[in-house]
């Protein structure tokens, strides 16, 4: 198994997308803007 080093922000985004609870606090909503 290959472990990757990722930031907590990226971990929270991945957890949100995969419906996993990987960070505390958990990311519960994500909004994208064209900015």
């Amino acid at each position: 198994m290959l472990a990757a080093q990722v930031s907590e922000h990226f971990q929270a985004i991945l957890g949100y997308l995969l419906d996993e609870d990987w960070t505390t606090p958990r990311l519960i909503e994500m909004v994208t803007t064209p900015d």
Side-chain angles (χ1 to χ4, degrees):
M1 185 170 134
L2 179 63
Q5 294 275 335
V6 295
S7 72
E8 280 196 27
H9 290 101
F10 189 63
Q11 217 174 6
I13 291 169
L14 285 177
Y16 173 79
L17 292 173
L18 299 174
D19 198 27
E20 296 288 338
D21 201 9
W22 290 343
T23 58
T24 303
R26 183 176 187 213
L27 185 64
I28 58 170
E29 184 177 9
M30 186 166 43
V31 177
T32 59
T33 64
D35 295 2

